[in-house]
Amino acid sequence: MTGFVCVGIGGAVGAMLRYAISLIPYKGGFPVLTLITNILGALAIGIIAGAAARKGLPDNTVLFLKTGVCGGFTTFSTFSLEAYNLLEQGNARISVLYIALSVIGCLAGVAAGMYAAERFV
């Protein structure tokens, strides 16, 4: 039961952080705020996973941070909808660019997070 509470509270924190980023005034056609959110989330989950592996973080801490905060913060469903909408609007090149940058950026974020955890945690 404690795990559910950790995930729930972490999810609320992550969702509020995500909402805060969505309040940044940006009116461009490229979904840059979602891209930034997902890359930051990937970086964060890389740091958390690396720290958990190196330092042996308590299970409830990992649940709170990784499943809760990162799960509530990242926006894969929003990313998918935005990529689909770009395709629907006839912006195939922008959609493909967005998908590629999201996947590559998030993989790089996880790698950078793991590297940071190895070096600094």
Side-chain angles (χ1 to χ4, degrees), residues 31-85:
V32 70
L33 296 178
T34 303
L35 178 64
I36 289 168
T37 299
N38 285 334
I39 292 172
L40 287 174
L43 174 64
I45 207 166
I47 291 170
I48 295 160
R54 292 178 52 79
K55 299 291 184 180
L57 298 176
D59 290 342
N60 285 334
T61 301
V62 174
L63 283 173
F64 172 80
L65 294 171
K66 196 164 73 171
T67 307
V69 175
C70 289
F73 180 68
T74 58
T75 56
F76 195 77
S77 59
T78 303
F79 153 75
S80 300
L81 177 62
E82 289 172 343
Y84 177 81
N85 287 340

Side-chain angles (χ1 to χ4, degrees), residues 6-17:
C6 290
V7 169
I9 293 170
V13 170
M16 288 185 283
L17 290 170

